[in-house]
């Protein structure tokens, strides 16, 4: 089987990819993750996923490289990783009672020939109306400071939602596994082989 590299330092993406029981390595790419002026969320997520995968291609010329990036968007505003408690509280306060769309870019790059396949999976979350004390308590308990949108759906974050819509709940955590399996099949890699 071809060497498979996940271009990420995210423990969440690593845990998701481990579900497939396919051998892989992780390496953090170094790219500028700033959005371009006026860049829509889906284009940003796709561009960053592609840049992450291609950033490692020269160092691993025989590998297949997976890049992924997620951008949350609420009412036209991009929501990044909050980084601190006050930003997390602010993001969740703006999301309360609203629908937040999570755009997860996915790229599988073939370092042998430089080709790559990129897509963007969208997953929508409708937040419950939340009180200031509920939001503060959630942030204190789960500390979602390194998560786009300031929550962890795989944990207590589920208590923040009214409704979730999308084809792959893994994309909400940061790696759309259903679509990744489709891309890997192009290279005769399957978790069931």
């Amino acid at each position: 089987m071809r060497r498979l590299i996940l271009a990420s330092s995210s423990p969440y993406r690593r845990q998701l990819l481990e579900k497939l029981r396919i051998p892989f390595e992780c390496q953090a790419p170094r790219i500028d993750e700033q959005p371009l002026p006026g860049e829509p969320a889906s284009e940003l997520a796709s561009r960053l996923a592609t840049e992450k995968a291609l950033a490692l291609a020269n160092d691993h010329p025989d590998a297949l490289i997976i890049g992924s990036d997620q951008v949350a968007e609420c009412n036209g505003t991009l929501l990044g990783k909050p980084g601190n408690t006050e930003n997390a509280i602010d993001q969740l306060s703006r999301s309360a009672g609203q629908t937040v769309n999570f755009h997860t870019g996915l790229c599988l790059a073939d370092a042998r020939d430089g080709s790559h396949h990129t897509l963007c999976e969208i997953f929508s979350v409708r937040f419950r109306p939340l009180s200031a004390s509920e939001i503060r308590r959630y942030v204190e308990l789960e500390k979602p400071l390194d998560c786009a949108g300031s929550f962890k759906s795989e944990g207590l974050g589920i208590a923040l939602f009214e409704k979730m819509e999308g084809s792959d709940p893994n994309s909400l955590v940061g790696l759309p596994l259903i679509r990744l399996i489709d891309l890997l099949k192009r290279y005769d890699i399957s978790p069931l082989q």
Side-chain angles (χ1 to χ4, degrees):
M1 188 175 88
R2 294 275 300 274
R3 222 171 127 216
L4 192 62
I5 298 173
L6 176 62
S8 179
S9 60
S10 166
Y12 311 111
R13 286 192 181 99
R14 184 182 68 244
Q15 289 169 355
L16 285 173
L17 190 52
E18 285 172 349
K19 286 180 170 185
L20 299 185
R21 300 181 183 188
I22 297 172
F24 70 96
E25 305 163 40
C26 288
Q27 184 176 336
R30 291 192 178 110
I31 65 163
D32 179 359
E33 297 192 32
Q34 291 299 311
L36 301 174
E39 188 173 26
S42 287
E43 289 179 22
L44 174 61
S46 295
R47 177 177 63 82
L48 294 178
T50 302
E51 287 181 10
K52 286 178 178 181
L54 296 178
L56 300 181
N58 287 338
D59 294 336
H60 306 282
D62 210 34
L64 292 171
I65 305 168
I66 301 164
S68 187
D69 198 84
Q70 186 176 73
V71 178
E73 173 266 321
C74 181
N75 297 322
T77 301
L78 301 183
L79 306 174
K81 297 174 184 176
N84 64 52
T85 298
E86 291 312 309
N87 286 344
I89 290 169
D90 181 59
Q91 279 190 359
L92 290 173
S93 297
R94 284 187 277 139
S95 298
Q98 302 296 312
T99 297
V100 178
N101 296 308
F102 290 83
H103 305 259
T104 305
L106 174 65
C107 177
L108 182 63
D110 185 342
R112 282 183 182 167
D113 62 12
S115 65
H116 62 276
H117 306 280
T118 302
L119 58 91
C120 187
E121 188 81 8
I122 300 174
F123 201 93
S124 299
V125 175
R126 177 77 182 173
F127 279 76
R128 297 177 184 279
L130 300 164
S131 69
S133 63
E134 288 173 316
I135 291 169
R136 185 166 289 283
R137 180 71 175 143
Y138 171 74
V139 172
E140 287 171 2
L141 289 171
E142 197 136 75
K143 298 176 183 33
L145 307 182
D146 61 346
C147 301
S150 302
F151 69 86
K152 298 178 184 178
S153 63
E154 66 277 23
L156 186 57
I158 199 74
L160 305 173
F161 309 152
E162 277 184 356
K163 182 178 173 182
M164 298 167 62
E165 290 183 312
S167 61
D168 186 348
N170 297 294
S171 64
L172 187 56
V173 182
L175 188 63
L177 293 180
I178 292 172
R179 299 296 299 273
L180 177 59
I181 290 167
D182 292 339
L183 293 178
L184 290 171
K185 282 184 179 180
R186 296 176 183 206
Y187 296 92
D188 295 320
I189 298 171
S190 168
L192 300 178
Q193 286 179 338

